[in-house]
Amino acid sequence: MAQPRPPSKTWRFSTSIFAPVIVSLVATAIGVVAFVLWSTANIDQRSLQRETQSVEYAIGEILAGVPREQESVTVWDDAIIQTKFGFNQNWVHVNLGLWMHDFFGHDRTFVLDPSNTPVYAMDGGKLADTELFTADAAAFEPLIAELRGKIAAGLLDNYNAGTAVELAHAVDVTTVSGHPAIVSIAPIISDSSDIFQVQGTEFLHISVVFLNQAFAQKLARTYHFEASGFSTNQPSDGAQAVYPILSKSGRFVTFFEWRQDRPGARMLSQTAPVLAGAFLVAGVLVFLLLDQLWRSTQALETGHRRAQHQATHDSLTGLPNRTLFEDRLDEVLAERTAGERTAVMMLDLDRFKQVNDTLGHAAGDELIRAAAERLRQLLPPEDTIARLGGDEFGVIHPLIGPEGDAMVLAGRLVAALARPFEISVSETHIGGSIGVVIFDSTSTRGTVARNADIALYEAKSAGRNRAVLFEERMNEVLQLRRTIEMELREALRRPGQITVQFQPLYNACGKSIIGAEALARWEHPKFGSISPAKFIPVAESSGLIENLGEYVLRRACELGARWPDRTIAVNISPVQLRNPGFSRLLFDILKQTGMLPSCLELEITENILIDDESQISDTLRTFRAAGIRIALDDFGTGYSSLNYLKRYAVDRIKVDRSFVQQLPDDAVSYAIVQAMVMLAKAMGISVTAEGVELESQRRVLEKLGCDVLQGFLFSPAIVEFKLEALFRGDNVDHYQQIQPRLSA
Ligand code: C2E
Ligand code: CA
Ligand code: CA
């Protein structure tokens, strides 16, 4: 019955809830982080672009600014006069050199005469040797050539005409004395146009501004760069941005470097802790949520399991209930392979109802629990034991060994139940009956259960406290009982099939008829006559005996009313006697038919007296008080206890025909009958002997002292009108007619 185990609850929870939630949480986190990183990088990139543009612009501005500053001294009549017309070293130093240094921060100044020979040099605010120019001449020469070229091309013509917009100068970035520097060269010209110079004879003014740290700081102040400077090497610090400054001819001169502004990174550094915090909080929330979910899932599952257990188990014993039992049986039937056999046992506690009624329900419950526990302990763990109802249990037992093993086990269960139970109120004896069925691959649940029930029924009718193995024969018997029941029901509904015949009762000498016993007869249109020995038990177990009994009683009383000096005996079933309405029915019938109660004799079996039911003894007392006589039928076959005779005070015993038929030769039967008659006489009880077939039997019975005789010797049961003929006086005839035949 091994089944693949369903995936565990934890596993299902992890795969269906936990994993997806965590995965999406992590994915979201990764997405957000990636987006933030991407956008901050993007912002930083744009910021760098903007800064680079600013640097470009600033460099341009500086390159444009240096000539403009120069212009403040080179476009000046006085400057021409102080250079060209008598070179005044002192004036030139103050106005063309120091001025540029002090006021604009230019580092070096040179003045060249028209032949491009340096006539003045200033370095760092001090008068310097013109050799300083010669040392870097190579750096200046291209610019000088450019400017002289421009002037030769007539640049100053426009200027002299007062229409020039472009300043006459040449500017570039280059290397001076090994340092990057801006070099700007301008001609010294008139501001008033009053002084005329022949083109090409102008003095030239050269300004050198080193791209050094001081300059870089000035730049930084003006354009808001941080930690800026010039360097010919790429900075190793990744935080520094660089802009290569090239000469006009495209030659690399230096890098301008500055601390790159990273607004993205800044934003990231500000938002990262917030983001991390947010993720942490979200993570904690999700965790709490998952935890809550897990708990409620667990609670739900526990509830579900509990509900399922309640639906499939009996609350009193904790054993599986009928539903689960049937499910398991279905499973066994479905999974069984050919040749594999299983035993199913239906078990019923004997006398449980009595315990329940007399000791109370609490004791009953306790007893059921104790019995269940006893049974459970005897069964191997792979067996299923279920409580199917009140005091009914079912067992599914897989058979490994021979069939006999199942019966051995069943026998053990019976023995266990037969041992007394110590329950809180008292020690109790019950017992159990078991029906066992062994089945293989061909059966269905319905047949298995039915056959087990049939075997159980057999066990009970065989006297309880035993285990019975189902045999096909039992099914046939049951089938027959069912058919009989169906047919009997039908027969009782329509008149004709069921009749009543009467068997005459004679006095001891066999000479006079004193009455008759009413016996039911069934003439079935198809099956012919059916013996009461067959249909009476069926009528009793199906309840049909009530109808049948009433019918017989009515017919008997109708006859008895016409013969007030004769006794009419009627057989009464225990089922009828237990019905509280029976005495009323009987008295009604007596009244309706007009029969005298003293003429009626009720035949009951002694077994009914054992149960000591107060209902029955009350009823019997009432009948006797009314003058109705009570006879104990089939005396000697049951639990014949003289005690009952005393307690119930019956009027007559009917010695069973099994004893009579052994007469006269069997000494034991003789002794028994003799003892019975003697005891009855001693107690003032009359004795009938039934089943008298032989004259020799009659003689013995007469001698022993039996009052009344009944049997085929005198007459079988006959139809009413024949009996009435005997009553009328042909009785002697009848006996004497058959007498010679029997004796012969
Ligand atoms: P019982 O009450 O012992 O009835 C006597 C039975 O013995 C009758 O069988 C009768 O035919 C048979 N019998 C009579 N004399 C002789 C004889 O000399 N030799 C032999 N071998 N048998 C003899 P029957 O009619 O087949 O009835 C069988 C049983 O059915 C009765 O046994 C009685 O217990 C029951 N029964 C019959 N009719 C009724 C009825 O109306 N109500 C109830 N409750 N039971 C009935
Ligand atoms: Ca009888
Ligand atoms: Ca009898």
Side-chain angles (χ1 to χ4, degrees), residues 517 519 571 603 633 654 690:
E517 177 182 359
L519 293 164
N571 294 288
E603 296 190 5
D633 207 352
K654 289 185 82 175
E690 60 177 356

Side-chain angles (χ1 to χ4, degrees), residues 471-487:
E471 291 163 34
E472 206 50 50
R473 168 189 68 78
M474 297 172 188
N475 208 352
E476 284 156 20
V477 170
L478 198 85
Q479 214 57 48
L480 185 65
R481 287 182 70 96
R482 283 231 186 86
T483 313
I484 291 176
E485 187 188 323
M486 237 167 55
E487 294 292 329

Side-chain angles (χ1 to χ4, degrees), residues 474-512:
M474 297 172 188
N475 208 352
E476 284 156 20
V477 170
L478 198 85
Q479 214 57 48
L480 185 65
R481 287 182 70 96
R482 283 231 186 86
T483 313
I484 291 176
E485 187 188 323
M486 237 167 55
E487 294 292 329
L488 185 60
R489 202 178 288 277
E490 193 56 34
L492 281 170
R493 225 177 275 145
R494 49 188 76 198
Q497 285 191 39
I498 308 276
T499 55
V500 181
Q501 292 195 358
F502 297 88
Q503 186 175 29
L505 301 168
Y506 281 82
N507 65 0
C509 62
K511 294 258 160 35
S512 56

Side-chain angles (χ1 to χ4, degrees), residues 4-161:
R5 274 180 71 81
S8 80
K9 189 174 49 157
T10 320
W11 172 249
R12 258 181 295 142
F13 185 81
S14 325
T15 53
S16 67
I17 298 174
F18 190 75
V21 168
I22 292 302
V23 164
S24 44
L25 191 72
V26 168
T28 308
I30 289 174
V32 168
V33 166
F35 175 74
V36 166
L37 289 179
W38 174 80
S39 64
T40 54
N42 208 25
I43 289 169
D44 287 351
Q45 185 59 36
R46 278 194 216 174
S47 155
L48 181 63
Q49 269 168 14
R50 258 197 316 277
E51 283 185 327
T52 308
Q53 278 165 5
S54 298
V55 169
E56 227 168 59
Y57 174 76
I59 304 279
E61 279 295 288
I62 291 159
L63 283 176
V66 174
R68 223 177 292 123
E69 288 158 8
Q70 244 179 328
E71 196 189 342
S72 64
V73 297
T74 57
V75 184
W76 189 12
D77 289 357
D78 285 356
I80 301 173
I81 293 163
Q82 299 294 338
T83 54
K84 199 168 191 174
F85 307 137
F87 188 81
N88 182 346
Q89 167 92 10
N90 206 35
W91 189 93
V92 167
H93 181 56
V94 171
N95 293 289
L96 302 190
L98 278 181
W99 176 259
M100 297 312 289
H101 177 268
D102 296 347
F103 201 73
F104 294 116
H106 292 195
D107 295 298
R108 283 182 190 172
T109 305
F110 301 102
V111 176
L112 306 186
D113 70 6
S115 67
N116 293 341
T117 310
V119 291
Y120 168 77
M122 181 278 291
D123 181 23
K126 292 206 174 62
L127 196 64
D129 196 310
T130 52
E131 272 301 302
L132 195 61
F133 173 81
T134 318
D136 287 314
F140 301 128
E141 264 156 16
L143 285 171
I144 296 167
E146 184 196 330
L147 185 60
R148 290 289 184 204
K150 276 183 186 173
I151 294 169
L155 187 71
L156 291 177
D157 292 352
N158 290 336
Y159 185 81
N160 291 338

Side-chain angles (χ1 to χ4, degrees), residues 503 517 520-521 532 552 571 633-634 657 661 690 693 711-712:
Q503 186 175 29
E517 177 182 359
R521 290 289 174 264
V552 173
N571 294 288
D633 207 352
D634 304 338
R657 63 175 176 271
Q661 269 157 8
E690 60 177 356
E693 293 182 353
F712 292 166

Side-chain angles (χ1 to χ4, degrees), residues 39 41 56 84 157 396 419 423 536 547 555 562 592 609 662-663 740 742:
S39 64
E56 227 168 59
K84 199 168 191 174
D157 292 352
I396 303 174
R419 290 202 319 273
I423 55 170
I536 293 293
N547 267 341
R555 299 305 309 274
R562 291 197 292 273
Q592 285 158 12
L609 304 179
Q662 308 290 317
L663 296 179
L742 288 168

